[in-house]
Amino acid sequence: MHFLPDVKRIKSTSPPNFFSFELIKREEVVSLFDATRFNEAIIYDTNLPWQTDLAVLAKQDGEIVGVAGASKTCAKLWQIGIEVLPK
């Protein structure tokens, strides 16, 4: 299943109270490889033809509580994996 949003209709929102967000690029994503609890959002297998290129970290009190990782799987399609801690 694929979803192609109307990018002209996307609006910025403020983070919910008590949360902050951080955008990291591919070079920094490597630092998340030790945080194996987010293995559905971050691609760890270097044998695959694509890797996580961007990630957004959701933080609460400085701790990562969620990750959305995106990888460019072809010229016009990005794959996104999202994972959050149960609490």
Side-chain angles (χ1 to χ4, degrees):
M1 181 185 309
H2 295 92
F3 171 71
L4 299 174
D6 182 350
V7 295
K8 294 178 182 174
R9 296 182 65 190
I10 296 174
K11 296 178 182 174
S12 295
T13 61
S14 297
N17 290 338
F18 309 110
F19 289 95
S20 63
F21 296 93
E22 179 183 350
L23 174 69
I24 61 174
K25 295 183 180 178
R26 185 176 189 157
E27 309 79 48
E28 300 168 286
V29 170
V30 176
S31 67
L32 294 178
F33 289 177
D34 291 332
T36 57
R37 61 186 173 192
F38 299 109
N39 59 359
E40 297 297 324
I42 302 296
I43 297 172
Y44 292 91
D45 188 349
T46 56
N47 295 317
L48 291 175
W50 58 83
Q51 297 299 314
T52 301
D53 293 299
L54 293 171
V56 175
L57 311 178
K59 294 182 175 183
Q60 186 176 35
D61 297 325
E63 178 187 353
I64 300 172
V65 295
V67 176
S71 59
K72 189 174 184 178
T73 56
C74 64
K76 293 186 178 186
L77 179 69
W78 286 68
Q79 173 178 276
I80 301 172
I82 300 171
E83 190 169 6
V84 297
L85 295 180
K87 65 178 182 171

Coordinates of all heavy atoms in Angstrom, one line a residue:
M1 N 0.8 -1.2 0.0 CA 0.0 0.0 0.0 C 0.9 1.2 0.0 O 1.9 1.3 0.7 CB -0.9 0.0 1.2 CG -1.8 1.2 1.3 SD -2.8 1.4 2.8 CE -3.5 -0.2 2.9
H2 N 0.5 2.2 -0.8 CA 1.3 3.5 -0.9 C 0.4 4.6 -0.6 O -0.8 4.6 -1.0 CB 2.0 3.6 -2.2 CG 3.0 2.6 -2.5 ND1 2.7 1.4 -3.1 CD2 4.3 2.6 -2.2 CE1 3.8 0.7 -3.2 NE2 4.8 1.4 -2.6
F3 N 0.9 5.7 0.0 CA 0.1 6.9 0.3 C 1.0 8.0 -0.3 O 2.1 8.2 0.1 CB -0.1 7.1 1.8 CG -0.7 8.4 2.1 CD1 -2.0 8.7 1.8 CD2 0.1 9.4 2.7 CE1 -2.5 10.0 2.1 CE2 -0.4 10.6 3.0 CZ -1.8 10.9 2.7
L4 N 0.4 8.8 -1.1 CA 1.1 10.0 -1.7 C 0.3 11.2 -1.2 O -0.8 11.5 -1.7 CB 1.1 9.9 -3.2 CG 1.9 8.7 -3.8 CD1 1.8 8.7 -5.3 CD2 3.3 8.8 -3.4
P5 N 0.8 12.0 -0.2 CA 0.1 13.1 0.3 C 0.2 14.3 -0.7 O 1.1 14.4 -1.5 CB 0.9 13.4 1.6 CG 2.3 13.0 1.3 CD 2.1 11.7 0.4
D6 N -0.8 15.2 -0.5 CA -0.8 16.4 -1.2 C 0.1 17.4 -0.5 O -0.3 18.0 0.5 CB -2.2 17.0 -1.3 CG -2.3 18.3 -2.1 OD1 -1.3 18.9 -2.5 OD2 -3.4 18.7 -2.4
V7 N 1.3 17.6 -0.9 CA 2.3 18.3 -0.1 C 1.9 19.8 0.0 O 2.4 20.5 0.9 CB 3.7 18.2 -0.7 CG1 4.3 16.8 -0.6 CG2 3.8 18.7 -2.2
K8 N 1.1 20.3 -0.8 CA 0.6 21.7 -0.7 C -0.4 21.9 0.4 O -0.6 23.0 0.9 CB -0.1 22.1 -2.0 CG 0.9 22.2 -3.2 CD 0.2 22.6 -4.5 CE 1.2 22.6 -5.6 NZ 0.6 22.8 -6.9
R9 N -0.9 20.8 0.9 CA -1.9 20.9 2.0 C -1.3 20.5 3.4 O -2.0 20.6 4.4 CB -3.1 19.9 1.8 CG -3.8 20.4 0.5 CD -5.0 19.5 0.3 NE -6.0 19.7 1.3 CZ -7.0 18.9 1.5 NH1 -7.3 17.9 0.7 NH2 -7.8 19.0 2.5
I10 N 0.0 20.1 3.4 CA 0.6 19.8 4.7 C 0.9 21.0 5.5 O 1.5 22.0 4.9 CB 1.9 18.9 4.5 CG1 1.5 17.6 3.8 CG2 2.6 18.7 5.8 CD1 2.7 16.8 3.4
K11 N 0.6 21.0 6.7 CA 0.8 22.2 7.6 C 1.7 21.8 8.8 O 1.5 20.7 9.3 CB -0.5 22.8 8.1 CG -1.4 23.3 7.0 CD -2.7 23.8 7.5 CE -3.6 24.3 6.4 NZ -4.9 24.7 6.8
S12 N 2.5 22.7 9.2 CA 3.4 22.5 10.3 C 2.5 22.5 11.6 O 1.6 23.2 11.7 CB 4.5 23.5 10.4 OG 5.3 23.4 9.3
T13 N 2.9 21.7 12.6 CA 2.3 21.7 13.9 C 3.3 21.8 15.0 O 4.5 21.5 14.7 CB 1.5 20.4 14.1 OG1 2.3 19.3 14.1 CG2 0.4 20.3 13.0
S14 N 2.9 22.2 16.1 CA 3.8 22.3 17.3 C 3.9 20.9 18.0 O 2.9 20.2 18.0 CB 3.3 23.3 18.3 OG 3.3 24.6 17.7
P15 N 5.0 20.6 18.6 CA 5.1 19.3 19.3 C 4.1 19.3 20.5 O 3.9 20.4 21.1 CB 6.5 19.2 19.7 CG 7.2 20.5 19.4 CD 6.2 21.3 18.6
P16 N 3.6 18.2 20.8 CA 2.7 18.1 22.0 C 3.5 18.5 23.3 O 4.8 18.4 23.3 CB 2.3 16.6 22.1 CG 2.7 16.0 20.8 CD 3.7 16.9 20.2
N17 N 2.9 18.9 24.3 CA 3.5 19.2 25.6 C 4.4 18.1 26.0 O 4.0 16.9 25.9 CB 2.5 19.6 26.6 CG 1.8 20.9 26.3 OD1 2.3 21.7 25.6 ND2 0.6 21.1 26.9
F18 N 5.5 18.4 26.6 CA 6.4 17.5 27.2 C 7.2 16.6 26.2 O 7.9 15.7 26.6 CB 5.7 16.5 28.2 CG 4.9 17.2 29.2 CD1 3.5 17.2 29.2 CD2 5.5 18.0 30.2 CE1 2.8 17.8 30.1 CE2 4.8 18.7 31.1 CZ 3.4 18.6 31.1
F19 N 7.1 16.9 24.9 CA 7.9 16.2 23.9 C 8.7 17.2 23.1 O 8.3 18.4 22.9 CB 7.0 15.5 22.9 CG 6.3 14.3 23.5 CD1 5.1 14.3 24.1 CD2 7.0 13.0 23.6 CE1 4.5 13.2 24.6 CE2 6.4 11.9 24.1 CZ 5.1 12.0 24.7
S20 N 9.8 16.8 22.6 CA 10.6 17.6 21.6 C 11.0 16.6 20.5 O 10.9 15.4 20.6 CB 11.9 18.1 22.3 OG 12.7 17.1 22.7
F21 N 11.3 17.2 19.4 CA 11.6 16.5 18.2 C 13.0 16.9 17.6 O 13.3 18.1 17.7 CB 10.5 16.6 17.1 CG 9.2 16.0 17.5 CD1 8.3 16.8 18.1 CD2 8.9 14.7 17.3 CE1 7.1 16.3 18.5 CE2 7.7 14.2 17.7 CZ 6.8 15.0 18.3
E22 N 13.7 16.0 17.1 CA 15.0 16.2 16.5 C 15.2 15.5 15.2 O 14.9 14.3 15.1 CB 16.1 15.8 17.5 CG 17.5 16.0 17.0 CD 18.5 15.4 18.0 OE1 18.2 15.0 19.1 OE2 19.7 15.3 17.6
L23 N 15.5 16.2 14.2 CA 15.8 15.7 12.8 C 17.2 15.3 12.7 O 18.1 16.2 13.0 CB 15.4 16.7 11.7 CG 15.7 16.2 10.3 CD1 14.8 15.1 9.9 CD2 15.5 17.4 9.4
I24 N 17.5 14.1 12.3 CA 18.9 13.7 12.1 C 19.1 13.1 10.7 O 18.2 12.6 10.2 CB 19.5 12.7 13.2 CG1 18.7 11.4 13.2 CG2 19.4 13.4 14.6 CD1 19.2 10.4 14.1
K25 N 20.3 13.3 10.2 CA 20.6 12.8 8.8 C 21.3 11.5 8.8 O 21.7 11.0 9.9 CB 21.4 13.9 8.0 CG 20.6 15.2 7.8 CD 21.3 16.2 7.0 CE 20.4 17.4 6.9 NZ 21.1 18.5 6.1
R26 N 21.5 11.0 7.7 CA 22.1 9.6 7.5 C 23.4 9.4 8.3 O 23.6 8.4 9.0 CB 22.4 9.3 6.1 CG 22.8 7.9 5.8 CD 23.0 7.6 4.4 NE 23.2 6.2 4.2 CZ 23.0 5.6 3.1 NH1 22.5 6.2 2.0 NH2 23.3 4.3 3.0
E27 N 24.3 10.4 8.3 CA 25.5 10.3 9.0 C 25.3 10.1 10.5 O 26.1 9.5 11.2 CB 26.4 11.5 8.8 CG 26.7 11.9 7.4 CD 25.5 12.7 6.8 OE1 25.0 13.7 7.4 OE2 25.1 12.4 5.7
E28 N 24.2 10.8 11.1 CA 23.9 10.7 12.5 C 23.1 9.5 12.9 O 23.1 9.1 14.0 CB 23.2 12.0 12.9 CG 24.0 13.2 12.7 CD 23.2 14.5 12.9 OE1 22.4 14.7 12.0 OE2 23.3 15.1 13.9
V29 N 22.4 8.9 11.9 CA 21.5 7.8 12.1 C 22.3 6.6 12.6 O 21.8 5.8 13.4 CB 20.7 7.4 10.8 CG1 20.0 6.1 11.0 CG2 19.7 8.5 10.5
V30 N 23.6 6.5 12.2 CA 24.4 5.4 12.7 C 24.5 5.3 14.2 O 24.6 4.2 14.8 CB 25.9 5.6 12.1 CG1 26.8 4.5 12.6 CG2 25.8 5.5 10.6
S31 N 24.4 6.5 14.9 CA 24.4 6.5 16.3 C 23.2 5.8 16.9 O 23.2 5.4 18.1 CB 24.5 7.9 16.9 OG 23.3 8.6 16.6
L32 N 22.1 5.6 16.2 CA 21.0 4.9 16.7 C 21.1 3.4 16.6 O 20.2 2.7 17.1 CB 19.7 5.4 15.9 CG 19.3 6.8 16.1 CD1 18.1 7.1 15.2 CD2 19.0 7.1 17.5
F33 N 22.0 2.9 15.9 CA 22.2 1.5 15.6 C 22.3 0.7 16.9 O 21.9 -0.5 17.0 CB 23.3 1.1 14.7 CG 23.1 1.5 13.3 CD1 24.0 1.4 12.3 CD2 21.9 2.1 12.8 CE1 23.8 1.7 11.0 CE2 21.6 2.4 11.5 CZ 22.6 2.3 10.6
D34 N 22.8 1.3 18.0 CA 22.9 0.6 19.3 C 21.5 0.6 20.0 O 21.4 -0.1 20.9 CB 24.0 1.3 20.1 CG 25.3 1.0 19.6 OD1 25.5 0.0 18.9 OD2 26.2 1.9 19.8
A35 N 20.6 1.5 19.6 CA 19.3 1.6 20.3 C 18.4 0.6 19.6 O 17.5 0.9 18.9 CB 18.8 3.0 20.2
T36 N 18.7 -0.7 19.8 CA 18.0 -1.8 19.0 C 16.5 -1.8 19.3 O 15.8 -2.5 18.6 CB 18.6 -3.1 19.3 OG1 18.6 -3.4 20.7 CG2 20.0 -3.2 18.8
R37 N 16.0 -1.1 20.3 CA 14.6 -1.1 20.5 C 13.8 -0.5 19.4 O 12.6 -0.6 19.4 CB 14.3 -0.5 21.9 CG 14.7 1.0 21.9 CD 14.6 1.5 23.3 NE 15.1 2.9 23.3 CZ 15.4 3.5 24.4 NH1 15.0 3.0 25.6 NH2 15.9 4.7 24.4
F38 N 14.5 0.2 18.5 CA 13.8 0.9 17.4 C 14.2 0.2 16.1 O 14.3 0.9 15.1 CB 14.2 2.4 17.4 CG 13.7 3.1 18.6 CD1 14.7 3.6 19.5 CD2 12.4 3.3 18.9 CE1 14.3 4.2 20.7 CE2 12.0 4.0 20.0 CZ 12.9 4.4 20.9
N39 N 14.3 -1.1 16.1 CA 14.7 -1.8 14.9 C 13.6 -1.9 13.8 O 13.9 -2.3 12.7 CB 15.2 -3.2 15.2 CG 14.2 -4.0 15.9 OD1 13.1 -3.6 16.2 ND2 14.6 -5.2 16.3
E40 N 12.4 -1.4 14.1 CA 11.4 -1.4 13.0 C 11.4 0.0 12.3 O 10.9 0.1 11.2 CB 10.0 -1.6 13.6 CG 9.8 -3.0 14.2 CD 9.9 -4.1 13.2 OE1 9.5 -3.9 12.0 OE2 10.4 -5.2 13.6
A41 N 12.0 1.0 12.9 CA 12.0 2.3 12.3 C 13.3 2.6 11.6 O 13.4 3.4 10.7 CB 11.7 3.4 13.4
I42 N 14.4 1.9 12.0 CA 15.7 2.2 11.5 C 16.2 0.9 10.8 O 16.2 -0.2 11.3 CB 16.7 2.6 12.6 CG1 16.2 3.8 13.4 CG2 18.1 2.8 12.1 CD1 16.2 5.1 12.6
I43 N 16.8 1.1 9.6 CA 17.3 -0.1 8.8 C 18.7 -0.3 9.3 O 19.6 0.6 9.3 CB 17.3 0.2 7.3 CG1 15.8 0.3 6.9 CG2 18.0 -1.0 6.6 CD1 15.7 0.8 5.4
Y44 N 19.0 -1.5 9.9 CA 20.3 -1.9 10.4 C 21.1 -2.7 9.5 O 22.3 -2.8 9.7 CB 20.1 -2.7 11.7 CG 19.5 -1.9 12.8 CD1 18.2 -1.8 13.0 CD2 20.4 -1.2 13.7 CE1 17.6 -1.1 14.1 CE2 19.8 -0.4 14.8 CZ 18.5 -0.4 14.9 OH 17.9 0.3 16.0
D45 N 20.5 -3.3 8.5 CA 21.2 -4.3 7.6 C 21.9 -3.6 6.5 O 21.3 -3.1 5.5 CB 20.2 -5.3 7.1 CG 20.9 -6.4 6.3 OD1 22.1 -6.4 6.1 OD2 20.2 -7.4 6.0
T46 N 23.3 -3.5 6.6 CA 24.1 -2.8 5.6 C 24.1 -3.6 4.3 O 24.7 -3.0 3.3 CB 25.5 -2.5 6.1 OG1 26.1 -3.7 6.5 CG2 25.4 -1.5 7.3
N47 N 23.6 -4.8 4.3 CA 23.6 -5.6 3.0 C 22.4 -5.2 2.1 O 22.4 -5.6 1.0 CB 23.5 -7.1 3.3 CG 24.8 -7.5 4.0 OD1 25.9 -7.1 3.6 ND2 24.6 -8.3 5.0
L48 N 21.5 -4.4 2.6 CA 20.3 -4.0 1.8 C 20.7 -2.9 0.9 O 21.6 -2.1 1.2 CB 19.2 -3.5 2.7 CG 18.5 -4.6 3.6 CD1 17.5 -4.0 4.5 CD2 17.8 -5.6 2.7
P49 N 20.0 -2.7 -0.2 CA 20.4 -1.7 -1.2 C 20.1 -0.2 -0.7 O 20.5 0.7 -1.3 CB 19.6 -2.0 -2.4 CG 18.5 -2.8 -1.9 CD 19.0 -3.6 -0.7
W50 N 19.3 -0.1 0.4 CA 19.0 1.2 0.9 C 19.2 1.2 2.4 O 19.1 0.2 3.1 CB 17.6 1.7 0.5 CG 16.5 0.8 1.0 CD1 16.0 0.7 2.3 CD2 15.9 -0.3 0.3 NE1 15.0 -0.3 2.3 CE2 15.0 -0.9 1.1 CE3 16.0 -0.7 -1.0 CZ2 14.2 -1.9 0.7 CZ3 15.2 -1.8 -1.4 CH2 14.3 -2.4 -0.6
Q51 N 19.4 2.4 3.0 CA 19.6 2.6 4.4 C 18.7 3.8 4.9 O 18.2 4.5 4.0 CB 21.1 2.9 4.7 CG 22.0 1.7 4.4 CD 21.7 0.5 5.1 OE1 21.5 0.5 6.3 NE2 21.6 -0.7 4.4
T52 N 18.6 3.9 6.1 CA 17.8 5.0 6.7 C 18.6 6.3 6.4 O 19.7 6.5 6.8 CB 17.6 4.9 8.2 OG1 16.9 3.7 8.4 CG2 16.8 6.0 8.7
D53 N 17.9 7.2 5.6 CA 18.6 8.5 5.2 C 18.2 9.6 6.2 O 19.1 10.5 6.3 CB 18.1 8.9 3.8 CG 18.6 7.9 2.8 OD1 19.9 7.8 2.6 OD2 17.8 7.2 2.1
L54 N 17.1 9.6 6.7 CA 16.6 10.7 7.7 C 15.9 10.0 8.8 O 15.2 9.0 8.6 CB 15.7 11.7 7.0 CG 16.2 12.5 5.9 CD1 15.0 13.3 5.3 CD2 17.2 13.6 6.5
A55 N 15.9 10.6 10.0 CA 15.1 10.1 11.1 C 14.7 11.3 11.9 O 15.4 12.3 12.0 CB 15.9 9.1 11.9
V56 N 13.5 11.2 12.5 CA 13.0 12.2 13.4 C 12.9 11.4 14.8 O 12.2 10.4 14.9 CB 11.6 12.8 13.0 CG1 11.1 13.7 14.1 CG2 11.8 13.5 11.7
L57 N 13.5 12.0 15.8 CA 13.5 11.4 17.1 C 12.5 12.2 17.9 O 12.5 13.4 18.0 CB 14.8 11.5 17.8 CG 16.1 11.1 17.0 CD1 17.3 11.3 17.8 CD2 15.9 9.6 16.6
A58 N 11.6 11.5 18.6 CA 10.7 12.0 19.6 C 11.3 11.8 20.9 O 11.7 10.7 21.3 CB 9.3 11.4 19.5
K59 N 11.5 12.9 21.7 CA 12.1 12.8 23.0 C 11.2 13.3 24.1 O 10.4 14.3 23.9 CB 13.4 13.6 23.0 CG 14.5 13.1 22.1 CD 15.8 13.9 22.2 CE 16.9 13.3 21.4 NZ 18.1 14.1 21.5
Q60 N 11.3 12.6 25.3 CA 10.6 13.1 26.5 C 11.6 13.1 27.6 O 12.3 12.0 27.9 CB 9.5 12.2 26.8 CG 8.6 12.6 27.9 CD 7.4 11.7 28.1 OE1 7.5 10.5 27.9 NE2 6.3 12.3 28.5
D61 N 11.8 14.2 28.2 CA 12.8 14.4 29.2 C 14.2 13.9 28.8 O 15.0 13.3 29.5 CB 12.4 13.6 30.5 CG 11.2 14.2 31.1 OD1 10.9 15.4 31.1 OD2 10.4 13.3 31.6
G62 N 14.6 14.2 27.5 CA 15.9 13.8 27.0 C 16.0 12.4 26.5 O 17.0 12.1 25.9
E63 N 15.0 11.6 26.8 CA 15.1 10.2 26.4 C 14.4 10.0 25.1 O 13.3 10.5 24.9 CB 14.5 9.3 27.4 CG 14.5 7.8 27.1 CD 13.7 6.9 28.0 OE1 13.2 7.4 29.1 OE2 13.5 5.7 27.7
I64 N 14.9 9.2 24.2 CA 14.2 8.9 22.9 C 13.1 7.9 23.2 O 13.3 6.8 23.7 CB 15.2 8.2 21.9 CG1 16.4 9.2 21.6 CG2 14.5 7.9 20.6 CD1 17.5 8.6 20.7
V65 N 11.9 8.3 22.9 CA 10.7 7.5 23.1 C 10.0 7.1 21.8 O 9.1 6.3 21.8 CB 9.7 8.2 24.0 CG1 10.3 8.4 25.4 CG2 9.2 9.6 23.4
G66 N 10.5 7.6 20.7 CA 9.9 7.3 19.4 C 10.8 7.7 18.3 O 11.6 8.6 18.4
V67 N 10.8 6.9 17.2 CA 11.6 7.2 16.0 C 10.8 7.0 14.7 O 10.0 6.0 14.6 CB 12.8 6.3 15.9 CG1 13.6 6.5 14.7 CG2 13.7 6.5 17.2
A68 N 10.9 7.9 13.8 CA 10.4 7.8 12.4 C 11.6 7.8 11.5 O 12.3 8.8 11.5 CB 9.4 8.9 12.1
G69 N 11.9 6.7 10.8 CA 13.0 6.6 10.0 C 12.6 6.6 8.5 O 11.6 5.9 8.2
A70 N 13.2 7.3 7.6 CA 12.9 7.3 6.2 C 14.0 6.9 5.3 O 15.2 7.3 5.6 CB 12.4 8.7 5.8
S71 N 13.8 6.0 4.4 CA 14.8 5.6 3.4 C 14.3 5.8 2.0 O 13.1 5.6 1.7 CB 15.2 4.2 3.6 OG 14.1 3.3 3.5
K72 N 15.2 6.3 1.1 CA 14.8 6.5 -0.3 C 14.9 5.2 -1.0 O 16.0 4.8 -1.3 CB 15.7 7.6 -0.8 CG 15.3 8.1 -2.2 CD 16.2 9.3 -2.6 CE 15.7 9.8 -3.9 NZ 16.5 11.0 -4.4
T73 N 13.8 4.6 -1.3 CA 13.9 3.3 -2.0 C 13.9 3.4 -3.5 O 14.3 2.4 -4.1 CB 12.6 2.4 -1.6 OG1 11.4 3.1 -1.9 CG2 12.7 2.1 -0.1
C74 N 13.6 4.5 -4.0 CA 13.7 4.7 -5.5 C 13.6 6.3 -5.7 O 13.4 7.0 -4.8 CB 12.7 4.0 -6.3 SG 11.0 4.4 -6.1
A75 N 13.7 6.7 -6.9 CA 13.7 8.1 -7.2 C 12.5 8.9 -6.7 O 12.7 10.1 -6.3 CB 13.8 8.3 -8.7
K76 N 11.3 8.3 -6.7 CA 10.2 9.1 -6.3 C 9.4 8.5 -5.0 O 8.3 8.9 -4.7 CB 9.2 9.1 -7.4 CG 9.7 9.9 -8.6 CD 8.6 10.1 -9.6 CE 9.1 11.0 -10.8 NZ 8.1 11.2 -11.7
L77 N 10.1 7.6 -4.3 CA 9.4 6.9 -3.2 C 10.3 6.8 -2.0 O 11.5 6.3 -2.1 CB 8.9 5.5 -3.6 CG 8.2 4.7 -2.5 CD1 6.9 5.4 -2.2 CD2 8.0 3.3 -3.0
W78 N 9.9 7.3 -0.9 CA 10.5 7.1 0.4 C 9.7 6.1 1.2 O 8.5 6.2 1.3 CB 10.7 8.4 1.1 CG 11.7 9.3 0.6 CD1 11.6 10.0 -0.6 CD2 12.9 9.7 1.2 NE1 12.8 10.7 -0.8 CE2 13.6 10.6 0.3 CE3 13.5 9.4 2.4 CZ2 14.8 11.2 0.6 CZ3 14.7 10.0 2.6 CH2 15.4 10.9 1.7
Q79 N 10.4 5.2 1.9 CA 9.8 4.3 2.8 C 9.9 4.8 4.2 O 11.0 5.3 4.6 CB 10.4 2.9 2.7 CG 10.0 1.9 3.7 CD 10.7 0.6 3.4 OE1 10.3 -0.2 2.6 NE2 11.8 0.4 4.1
I80 N 8.9 4.8 5.0 CA 8.9 5.4 6.4 C 8.5 4.3 7.4 O 7.5 3.6 7.2 CB 8.0 6.6 6.6 CG1 8.3 7.7 5.6 CG2 8.0 7.1 8.0 CD1 7.3 8.8 5.5
G81 N 9.4 4.1 8.4 CA 9.1 3.2 9.5 C 8.9 4.0 10.8 O 9.7 4.9 11.0
I82 N 7.9 3.8 11.5 CA 7.6 4.5 12.8 C 7.5 3.5 13.9 O 6.8 2.5 13.8 CB 6.3 5.3 12.6 CG1 6.4 6.3 11.5 CG2 6.0 6.1 14.0 CD1 5.2 7.0 11.1
E83 N 8.2 3.9 15.0 CA 8.1 3.0 16.2 C 8.2 3.9 17.5 O 9.0 4.8 17.5 CB 9.3 2.0 16.2 CG 9.2 1.0 17.2 CD 10.2 -0.1 17.0 OE1 11.0 0.0 16.1 OE2 10.1 -1.1 17.8
V84 N 7.3 3.6 18.4 CA 7.3 4.3 19.7 C 7.4 3.3 20.9 O 6.9 2.2 20.7 CB 6.1 5.2 19.8 CG1 6.1 6.3 18.8 CG2 4.8 4.4 19.8
L85 N 7.9 3.8 22.0 CA 7.9 2.9 23.2 C 6.4 2.8 23.7 O 5.6 3.7 23.5 CB 8.8 3.5 24.2 CG 10.3 3.6 23.9 CD1 11.0 4.2 25.1 CD2 10.8 2.2 23.6
P86 N 6.1 1.7 24.3 CA 4.7 1.5 24.8 C 4.2 2.5 25.7 O 3.0 2.9 25.6 CB 4.8 0.1 25.5 CG 6.0 -0.6 25.0 CD 7.0 0.5 24.6
K87 N 5.0 3.1 26.6 CA 4.4 4.1 27.5 C 4.2 5.4 26.8 O 3.4 6.2 27.2 CB 5.4 4.3 28.7 CG 6.7 4.9 28.3 CD 7.5 5.1 29.5 CE 8.9 5.7 29.2 NZ 9.6 6.2 30.3

